[in-house]
Structures are given as C-alpha cells and as structure tokens.
Amino acid sequence: MESARVAVIGAGDMGHGIAELFAVNGFEVTLMDKFPQALEKARGRVSASLARLVERGKITKAQEAAALSAMKYSGDMASAVAGAAIVVEAVPESQELKKAVFKELDALAPRDAILASNTSNIKISELASATSRPGRVVGMHFFNPPMSMKLVEVIPGEKTDPSVVQEVVRVCEKIGRTPVRVVRDSPGFIVNRINAADTLFFCLLLDRGVASPAEVDTYARGQGLPMGPYELLDFVGIDVGADSLAYFSGALSPEYGKGETFSRMAKAGQLGKKTGRGFYDWSSGRAAIPKAEPTDKISIMDIFALEINESVKLIEEGVASPEDIERGVVLGMNRPFGPITVAKDLSNAEVKAKLEELASKFGCSIFAPARSISEGKMRDAIEGRLSPREEAKVAQPEAQVSKPQGGGDEVRLERLPGGVARIVVNRPRLNLINGRVLDRLDAIVAELAADQAVRAVVVTGEGPVFSAGADFSQFFSSSAAFMDFARKGARIMRRLSELPKITIAVLKGHVLGGGLELALSCDVRVATEDVEMGFTELSRGLAPVWSGSHTLPRLLGVSQASFMILTSEKIKGKRAYEIGLVNRLVSTGDPDEFAVKYATELASSQAPVAVKVAKTLLRNGTDVPMDDGLEMEALAAGLLFATEDLKEGISAFLGKRKPEFKGK
Ligand SMILES: NC(=O)c1ccc[n+]([C@@H]2O[C@H](COP(=O)([O-])OP(=O)(O)OC[C@H]3O[C@@H](n4cnc5c(N)ncnc54)[C@H](O)[C@@H]3O)[C@@H](O)[C@H]2O)c1
C-alpha cells in the first residue's frame, strides 16, 4: 500500500485530521462528507494546519503543496471510495448511522478494500455485521487531534481476517503512528474503557456534591496534571462524556447510567468550550476557573485504583495485554506512565481496600475490585501470569505485538546546516525524562563530542514544553534503583555540560525539576517570557539530585539558589532573565527557530578550539585558588597561540572580514 488511495468518510474534527495525516504521509486521499458546509470547513482547517506545520518547520513548502494536491474533497460516497484501498469511517458516534454508512460502503467500495472505523466505543463486530465482508472490517481508532496524537488502537472484529489487522498496523506505522493492538473486540477498547470509569467517578462526585469542579481541578493540577478532569471534559465536550456513559450503560453495565449531572448539562446545551459554557465560562476562549482550595475529599489514589481495576478487567477478559494497556494509556491520555506501572508499586491489599471503599461510598459495582484483585492476584494479572481459566486466552502472534517506544524515538538527534545539531526530547506532552531518555542523551552527547563538524548544539523538547522533569514512575521500585537513577542523571548532566561545543537550551512551556537541571547543563539558555521554571522537588518530598543543587548556586549565588530550591516557587522567563538564569528572552516568534538561528551564528563566529578551552577554564578555573586559575589561563593562552584559528581570527579582525574557523 505504498501510495495507495484512502477515503475518509466524515469531515469533522477527526475526519479532517485523519485525512490530512494520510496526505502528509504520501497517500492520495479523498475526504467525503454529506454536508457541503462541513467539507468547506474541513478544507480550511486542513490548509491552516498545513500552513502551521510549515511555519513551525515540521514540513517544507514542497511537502505542504504535495499534501494539498493529494487531497480531494467530495460529497459523493461512490466517487470518494472508487479505487480506495482503505476507507476510514469517521461519522458521528451513532451505531445506527455508522451501520448505515458501512452498508453503503460495502455496496460501493472495491471488494478488496479495507473498511476501517474510527469509532470511539462501538464494537467492531457490530459494524461489520452491516456488511457482506466482515473479514475486511476493522477498528482504527485515532485520538484527537490525529495530527499530533501518536496512538491508534487497532481492533479486529470477531471475523476480521488477521492479514487485515496486520495491514492496518503497517499503515499506522507508515503514517508515523504507534499502533496498539486490541486483541478482543470490546466496548471502548482500551483507553476509552479505562476513561469511562473515571468519567463515571467524576460525574458521581458532582451528583453527590462531594467537591466542586474548581476544587477537584485545582487538586488535579497540583498533582502535576496539565488539566483538571472537568476542564478537560469542558474542552472535549460534556456531551461526549454523557454519550460515552450512555453507551457503556447499554453495552457493558447499566451502572454506567448512574451519573446524572453530565447528561443533564448535555441536555441543557451546556457542553463546555464549544457552547461557551460548561463547568466553566469559556467566553474568553479559555476556561475561567474560579480560585478554589484543592479538595481533600478525593485523592489521586482514587483514580489510580479505578484505572488499575479497569486494566485488570481488560486483562481478565483477554481484551489486551498489560504492555499494550500501559502504552495505550500513556499515548492516548498523554500520561507519563500508565496504570500498570502504578500497579507495580502498590500492594494488592491497598488497591483492593481503596476500590471497596469507593464501591461502597458511591454504591457502584463498577468500582468494586475485579476478580483477580479480590482474590489477591493483581500482580499475576499485570505481569501476564493469569492462568487460562482466569483469562480469556490472549492469542497474539509475537510478530504482531506493537513494540514499546525505545529511547531512540524519545530523544532525536537532528543535524542541521551550518555546524548545528539539535537534541529533541520527545515524550508525550511533558517530555518527562526517564531512564531510556538519559541513556539516549548520553549516547548522543558522546556522538556529538566526537563530531568535529558540529560546533553548536540546541537542546529542546518536542512541542510547546521543554521538559517538566524526571519521570517519577521510575522512582518507585526501591531506594537502590532511585539512587542509580539519580547518579545516572547527574553523570549525564555533567557530560552534557562538558561537551566541547556551545550548547543552547530552549526554555518554553514548563522547565521543572530534572528538566531545569538539563537546561542548567547547557551554556546558554534562551527562554520565552511566559515559560514557567522551578525546582518542584521539595514539594514532592525530593531534592534536586541531577546536579541542580551543585550547579544552581554556582550560577546564581547561594541566596537565589536557596530560594528557588527551598520554596519550589516557579518563576517566569522574564524574572529568570532578570536574575541571570536566562541569557536571551524571546518575546515574539518561535523560540526553537530563534535558538537554531542563534546557534548557527555562534557556530561560525566562535572559534571551536577556543570554545573548548574557555569551557574548561570556566568549569575548572572557578574552583581553584586565583593564582592557579590565572596560571590555567596562561597555559590556555599558550595552547591557543598555536592554533590556526587564532591566526585566522586576528587576520579576519584586522582585515574587517568574517573569520572562517577550521577548528584547528
Ligand atoms: N472528537 C474526538 O475527540 C474523537 C476521538 C476519537 C474518535 N472519535 C470518533 O470519531 C468519529 C467522528 O467524531 P468527530 O468528533 O470527528 O465528529 P464530528 O461531528 O466533528 O464529525 C462528523 C462528520 O461526519 C459528517 N457526517 C454525518 N453523517 C454523514 C454521512 N452519512 N456521510 C458522510 N458524512 C457524514 C458530519 O457532517 C461531520 O462533518 C466518532 O465515531 C467519534 O466517536 C472522536
């Protein structure tokens, strides 16, 4: 299916993004919608999105033009699917509507075409039953927005041909997504099934007046979540939450119908951002969340327990493997870690007790412990050791299991023109740093140290955030493992600081804890005005252990460093600039672009051997008595005197021209 034709049916929020994703990746795409105004809107959204990608340097102008010309728009199903190898249905989430569309597709699409559905919840077998080719019907569940969310759940119906699943997995990889295989067709598959229990919990909290949305969201943000659950629901649409609970109440258990507040709000047209009002007022384009104290009526453990419980049920039912559940939640919910990781650090008894408490408090059997947890076998379930009697056997051919993302995908090394390299930390949303990221950083730093062609290095995070710090899921296993992780982090920060090139960190979004230590290990820090940075460790019971407590006082003096570390107060880019933590402020434009431009200038204007020598002097010269420091400078001068670069530098200066340094 190298440059195969794809048809996407339904040009709404998901359909237009899915079509764009295929087009950007070299497929010929026809986007079809029954409503002309929906098609027009989609055309505008695709063009604007492609233009943004060009602006951010993600694609070239030529790729934009190719994607635009690969996209066709059609109001006619027959011509849209003619010659298509794969059809992705993305019409609204109604079983009747989707079945009608599948019936039509079956009649119109080529006999060998794959018919995929982007349904969020509906069983694939149900949709396949509307066709005469259930073997070629499959679930291909993208996440919103498809252009940036990496996860696609791939779901076979009961009769789906395994080769169709394999082909869809391959297509997902071709368009740069991470396919996670759902083994057994079940309502909500992995991520939405786990989400449904959370949604019910948050609905019941309001039904029972346990806490207000603002109190819960303030608590959730304090736990490091980028958005509280109610703000997120407002953002996605309260109708989506209400519809999902309604669907699950029919498909899985009537208990999902227990919640009242969400469906009442949905009926009243209070849908959140899209109607300007939900739990919060969105008239300014952002949620106006009233100031509130964080609630102490719930704890993060409630959510962990509910998610572990649903995960264990999925494993017991043979819907997915523990690894795929973990990967699905991490990528689909933008979490640094998923329920399986959390479960590994908790005892069966504490999860069971928490679930029993929630089930009795809310009178809801969905929250009651899954069978394996009741029987003390949580660990067997999450480590894939349930016996066949206990588990609907997960028959998953080895070759088709989607592989975990290795550190290779999580830190990218890009070689840019002009002697510049860029290191990009790329983990879902917050770019949290785990052991794999550290290992990969280490390997990259070693590679760059040996590469004479690279003279300046930009260190950044993928997307709007530099890095929100260390991945705490790594910390839980034992104090020895924690010590190793700390030691490894500190060692790698040091190697980066010793890299004999000018290093520039791009501070944007959040730069917290270990993320800030990574930035401190660079020579120059450029920052946006609104970046938020700080050492949050003490507020989590930790201390900066990746060289920050050593580096910060040397950079800022003991007073400022003590203040930042001991209070965990976060400061913005402007303040960081005033106290000397940041060297350049980027008030307008893209900070990454600025950093690359700046690095390119420095790569040609600063003599490479002199950079190496100056970095050594700066590092070592400050810790020795002055006489020794001065002697080190004299020795350095002698060394530099012998370089061609010094001659070139002086001759260029006298000749009023730009020097051309050779690094010799
Ligand atoms: N929005 C999300 O966050 C999200 C995430 C993952 C999956 N999904 C799923 O994707 C599907 C689409 O969701 P959405 O949010 O894009 O919905 P949407 O309402 O934004 O878009 C649906 C589009 O389908 C069109 N349509 C309706 N009937 C049609 C027909 N008979 N033939 C052709 N087009 C028709 C509509 O005009 C509309 O443009 C749903 O199944 C949803 O559950 C949504």
Side-chain angles (χ1 to χ4, degrees):
M1 200 176 280
E2 280 319 300
S3 56
R5 290 208 48 214
V6 174
V8 178
I9 311 300
D13 287 340
M14 294 303 290
H16 88 277
I18 296 169
E20 180 187 351
L21 183 64
F22 274 107
V24 164
N25 286 287
F27 287 80
E28 292 288 318
V29 188
T30 305
L31 180 55
M32 184 269 162
D33 202 289
K34 215 167 109 176
F35 301 96
Q37 64 276 26
L39 274 182
E40 261 333 288
K41 188 172 168 199
R43 192 194 292 271
R45 290 172 94 177
V46 170
S47 310
S49 161
L50 288 170
R52 266 197 310 277
L53 291 179
V54 173
E55 239 172 67
R56 293 190 194 139
K58 305 268 183 210
I59 59 170
T60 62
K61 269 272 181 209
Q63 285 169 314
E64 177 193 30
L68 284 171
S69 75
M71 287 226 23
K72 310 242 167 338
Y73 296 84
S74 169
D76 173 53
M77 180 89 85
S79 58
V81 301
I86 179 160
V87 180
V88 183
E89 166 278 312
V91 303
E93 187 78 357
S94 141
Q95 189 160 303
E96 294 74 60
L97 172 63
K98 283 188 190 283
K99 281 177 94 164
V101 167
F102 267 83
K103 193 158 184 240
E104 218 180 330
L105 289 175
D106 188 36
L108 299 172
R111 284 312 297 167
D112 59 350
I114 292 175
L115 306 182
S117 174
N118 183 49
T119 175
S120 300
N121 296 321
I122 301 169
K123 279 181 79 171
I124 301 304
S125 311
E126 192 60 45
L127 302 178
S129 71
T131 74
S132 63
R133 54 174 117 177
R136 300 200 70 72
V137 177
V138 67
M140 198 175 181
H141 182 211
F142 290 83
F143 285 70
N144 195 8
M147 282 300 286
S148 53
M149 294 292 282
K150 292 280 180 208
L151 177 66
V152 179
E153 290 178 337
V154 178
I155 313 112
E158 278 152 26
K159 298 186 179 155
T160 307
D161 188 331
S163 69
V164 167
V165 175
Q166 246 166 327
E167 181 59 11
V168 169
V169 163
R170 219 176 61 78
V171 168
C172 288
E173 282 164 355
K174 185 150 195 284
I175 57 176
R177 301 301 95 169
T178 305
V180 160
R181 283 206 351 127
V182 176
V183 183
R184 228 191 83 210
D185 191 13
S186 165
F189 321 122
I190 300 173
V191 177
N192 285 344
R193 165 78 176 271
I194 291 174
N195 222 344
D198 291 349
T199 307
L200 177 60
F201 173 72
F202 288 117
C203 189
L204 293 176
L205 279 184
L206 298 189
D207 288 359
R208 312 280 158 95
V210 176
S212 74
E215 288 166 340
V216 173
D217 283 355
T218 308
Y219 170 76
R221 275 177 177 266
Q223 296 296 310
L225 291 182
M227 255 192 200
Y230 295 105
E231 186 184 357
L232 183 63
L233 210 65
D234 257 4
F235 183 77
V236 173
I238 296 171
D239 51 332
V240 175
D243 289 351
S244 137
L245 290 180
Y247 172 76
F248 280 98
S249 72
L252 262 182
S253 155
E255 296 254 304
Y256 280 98
K258 273 191 150 131
E260 289 162 9
T261 306
F262 293 176
S263 57
R264 199 179 55 243
M265 288 176 76
K267 275 188 204 122
Q270 248 181 297
L271 308 185
K273 187 177 180 195
K274 56 188 158 190
T275 55
R277 180 147 203 101
F279 303 111
Y280 305 115
D281 180 4
W282 286 77
S283 48
S284 71
R286 284 170 169 244
I289 304 176
K291 274 221 166 320
E293 285 299 311
T295 181
D296 58 1
K297 300 286 189 314
I298 65 160
S299 90
I300 199 79
M301 182 60 194
D302 298 343
I303 312 303
F304 284 159
L306 292 176
E307 294 185 353
I308 292 169
N309 203 29
E310 288 312 300
S311 304
V312 169
K313 290 182 203 170
L314 287 173
I315 296 164
E316 288 172 347
E317 292 164 19
V319 174
S321 67
E323 296 75 24
D324 280 340
I325 292 172
E326 176 75 6
R327 198 168 311 129
V329 171
V330 166
L331 294 177
M333 297 192 188
N334 273 329
R335 298 270 185 83
F337 49 80
I340 305 296
T341 297
V342 177
K344 284 183 180 158
D345 292 305
L346 297 172
S347 71
N348 193 109
E350 41 186 334
V351 176
K352 182 169 174 236
K354 175 49 85 179
L355 289 167
E356 282 168 350
E357 174 202 320
L358 291 173
S360 109
K361 186 163 155 191
F362 292 100
C364 180
S365 66
I366 292 164
F367 301 161
R371 196 184 58 232
S372 305
I373 299 177
S374 280
E375 294 174 0
K377 292 181 183 155
M378 177 180 85
R379 201 149 292 276
D380 289 339
I382 61 170
E383 291 176 1
R385 285 196 308 269
L386 287 188
S387 72
R389 186 187 63 80
E390 292 156 324
E391 182 184 2
K393 202 61 192 132
V394 181
Q396 195 169 6
E398 200 47 39
Q400 292 178 11
V401 179
S402 38
K403 299 279 182 294
Q405 282 196 314
D409 302 329
E410 295 177 332
V411 189
R412 215 167 53 237
L413 171 61
E414 300 169 348
R415 284 166 197 281
L416 308 176
V420 175
R422 180 157 66 168
I423 302 174
V424 187
V425 178
N426 178 18
R427 296 201 69 223
R429 188 169 286 174
L430 297 175
N431 294 327
L432 294 180
I433 301 170
N434 61 11
R436 289 192 305 272
V437 168
L438 288 177
D439 287 339
R440 175 86 178 119
L441 272 174
D442 201 18
I444 289 176
V445 168
E447 187 181 332
L448 290 176
D451 188 339
Q452 300 300 326
V454 172
R455 294 183 178 180
V457 178
V458 172
V459 180
T460 187
E462 178 73 30
V465 168
F466 178 74
S467 167
D471 187 339
F472 285 90
S473 65
Q474 305 274 301
F475 281 13
F476 295 121
S477 50
S478 69
S479 77
F482 176 78
M483 240 160 79
D484 282 349
F485 188 50
R487 208 172 272 130
K488 183 195 257 190
R491 205 182 58 236
I492 290 159
M493 298 303 158
R494 178 169 187 167
R495 291 212 185 112
L496 175 60
S497 73
E498 290 178 0
L499 186 66
K501 330 259 173 189
I502 299 179
T503 49
I504 303 177
V506 185
L507 277 51
K508 55 186 179 174
H510 300 288
V511 185
L512 303 175
L516 186 47
E517 289 171 307
L518 179 63
L520 293 180
S521 310
C522 295
D523 305 314
V524 176
R525 280 160 291 281
V526 305
T528 61
E529 286 187 359
D530 59 355
V531 56
E532 231 177 30
M533 57 184 89
F535 280 101
T536 42
E537 280 87 345
L538 268 68
S539 63
R540 312 241 191 282
L542 285 168
V545 290
W546 283 354
S547 78
S549 51
H550 178 87
T551 322
L552 197 67
R554 280 168 175 71
L555 269 177
L556 299 184
V558 175
S559 166
Q560 290 284 12
S562 305
F563 177 76
M564 282 192 75
I565 291 175
L566 297 178
T567 65
S568 294
E569 199 168 289
K570 293 179 196 150
I571 59 172
K572 296 268 184 192
K574 250 187 158 154
R575 174 81 189 124
Y577 180 68
E578 285 161 10
I579 63 174
L581 182 56
V582 156
N583 311 98
R584 286 273 183 280
L585 264 191
V586 187
S587 327
T588 54
D590 183 338
D592 280 292
E593 253 178 56
F594 174 87
V596 169
K597 214 165 143 234
Y598 191 25
T600 315
E601 279 167 29
L602 293 174
S604 73
S605 70
Q606 306 304 94
V609 183
V611 165
K612 186 174 175 177
V613 168
K615 283 190 72 163
T616 311
L617 288 177
L618 282 163
R619 198 169 51 247
N620 301 331
T622 43
D623 287 336
V624 296
M626 188 162 182
D627 281 342
D628 295 349
L630 298 183
E631 189 51 25
M632 281 164 70
E633 283 187 345
L635 291 172
L639 190 139
L640 289 172
F641 185 74
T643 62
E644 287 179 28
D645 282 354
L646 178 70
K647 295 185 190 76
E648 168 64 8
I650 289 175
S651 123
F653 175 70
L654 296 175
K656 295 193 171 127
R657 61 174 174 83
K658 266 196 88 183
E660 279 188 32
F661 293 123
K662 301 221 163 54
K664 288 186 194 159

